[in-house]
Amino acid sequence: MQKTSENACFGGIQGVYTHPSDACGCDMTFGLFLPQEAQDGPVPLLWYLSGLTCTHENAMTKAGAQAWAAEQGLALVFPDTSPRGDGVADDEDYDLGQGAGFYVDATQDPWAPNYRMWSYITEELPALLGATFALDMDRQSITGHSMGGHGALTMAMNLPGRFRSVSAFSPICNPTGADWGRKQLTAYLGADETAWERHDASLMMRKAGFDGPMLIDIGSNDQFIDLLRPETLAAAIADRRQPASFRLQKGYDHSYFFVSTFMEDHVAFHADALWA
């Protein structure tokens, strides 16, 4: 693993690191914020999964999360959204290929050799983080925005016991029910729709739910709200009687202005679970 940069940040350290990934078959980069408390021993870890077209850098520089994480004594990890490099398959559309990994393990060509973001986020990167940094890997929570909200919700519900809490900003809630989501699921996973189910938060809510606190924020003026299909997840939460806070925030859109506005709420929400 190579250190790209480390900067003092709210009493802690914001680092950027690159390492060879067996899961993705290329070099991967991630950001990691360690609060001052990490100098004295392992601290809980909050994952932030970013959305389409983003890298590790977008949330790291725009979300304002480090200030609130420092206040709560939490570490924050910002992974990339896909494999990258000259030898990695790509597509001219923004919603497929590099920058659009959708947090799945692709089974179809040309994506299968590198697009294994599920394994990278749930297996390879946690092992690297736990072995390298002062992190309490028994205390993990997860959040994300848009495509990353989709990833956070589906990982939390597919991996019971891994995360103490889950939240999402403007998540893609029902990709199997929209042409937009069906495009990527078909490309990465093939035409068998049974393989898609575990990557649909609304379907996973009906099937498994989440044994822990859940918080979801969506802006009422989100320009992608018809594609996100939040009503499907809200209905599944109600039908399952899942404990959750599902908030439609009046006037907000899909941008990082929205994310940064409610980041304090989300970090405090996770801190309550991580320090319990």
Side-chain angles (χ1 to χ4, degrees):
M1 189 180 72
Q2 295 183 340
K3 177 176 66 177
T4 301
S5 63
E6 285 185 344
N7 297 93
C9 183
F10 293 101
I13 296 292
Q14 175 62 64
V16 176
Y17 309 93
T18 299
H19 69 102
S21 167
D22 290 334
C24 296
C26 63
D27 286 349
M28 295 293 288
T29 299
F30 65 92
L32 178 68
F33 171 74
L34 291 172
Q36 187 173 18
E37 289 84 348
Q39 298 177 18
D40 300 320
V43 295
L45 177 63
L46 175 58
W47 293 77
Y48 183 98
L49 305 186
S50 290
L52 282 168
T53 74
C54 292
T55 69
H56 69 282
E57 190 174 19
N58 295 72
M60 191 179 78
T61 59
K62 294 181 179 180
Q66 294 93 334
W68 310 120
E71 186 175 281
Q72 301 288 351
L74 304 181
L76 281 167
V77 62
F78 306 96
D80 204 346
T81 54
S82 77
R84 298 181 191 271
D86 292 339
V88 176
D90 200 6
D91 191 272
E92 62 182 12
D93 289 343
Y94 78 97
D95 56 359
L96 193 66
Q98 295 187 32
F102 268 80
Y103 304 103
V104 303
D105 280 353
T107 59
Q108 308 299 302
D109 290 332
W111 316 108
N114 301 105
Y115 284 75
R116 298 182 53 80
M117 289 301 294
W118 183 276
S119 292
Y120 177 69
I121 297 295
T122 65
E123 298 175 13
E124 185 176 28
L125 187 53
L128 176 64
L129 293 172
T132 310
F133 299 98
L135 300 170
D136 182 352
M137 301 304 286
D138 290 328
R139 294 174 181 262
Q140 299 182 61
S141 291
I142 191 166
T143 188
H145 173 231
S146 193
M147 179 183 73
H150 139 85
L153 291 169
T154 56
M155 288 178 180
M157 288 187 277
N158 274 283
L159 300 169
R162 171 72 66 91
F163 302 107
R164 297 199 175 191
S165 52
V166 60
S167 74
F169 302 86
S170 305
I172 299 172
C173 298
N174 181 220
T176 66
D179 289 343
W180 188 50
R182 295 176 68 84
K183 169 188 174 180
Q184 291 88 11
L185 294 174
T186 301
Y188 290 136
L189 302 177
D192 181 3
E193 296 190 19
T194 61
W196 303 358
E197 294 176 359
R198 66 196 297 257
H199 298 293
D200 185 302
S202 297
L203 297 182
M204 282 304 302
M205 176 56 64
R206 295 188 182 279
K207 180 180 179 179
F210 178 67
D211 186 18
M214 176 179 286
L215 171 63
I216 298 161
D217 275 319
I218 297 177
S220 65
N221 286 1
D222 193 306
Q223 57 270 46
F224 302 111
I225 198 164
D226 290 339
L227 300 173
L228 302 178
R229 293 174 58 81
E231 66 278 0
T232 60
L233 181 56
I237 287 171
D239 288 347
R240 190 176 181 84
R241 298 178 181 174
Q242 165 80 39
S245 294
F246 196 109
R247 310 189 303 190
L248 194 63
Q249 302 290 1
K250 184 177 180 180
Y252 286 90
D253 59 17
H254 199 75
S255 70
Y256 267 96
F257 296 111
F258 160 67
V259 173
S260 61
T261 297
F262 297 101
M263 181 57 71
E264 180 183 8
D265 289 359
H266 283 244
V267 173
F269 164 80
H270 291 296
D272 285 346
L274 289 167
W275 289 116

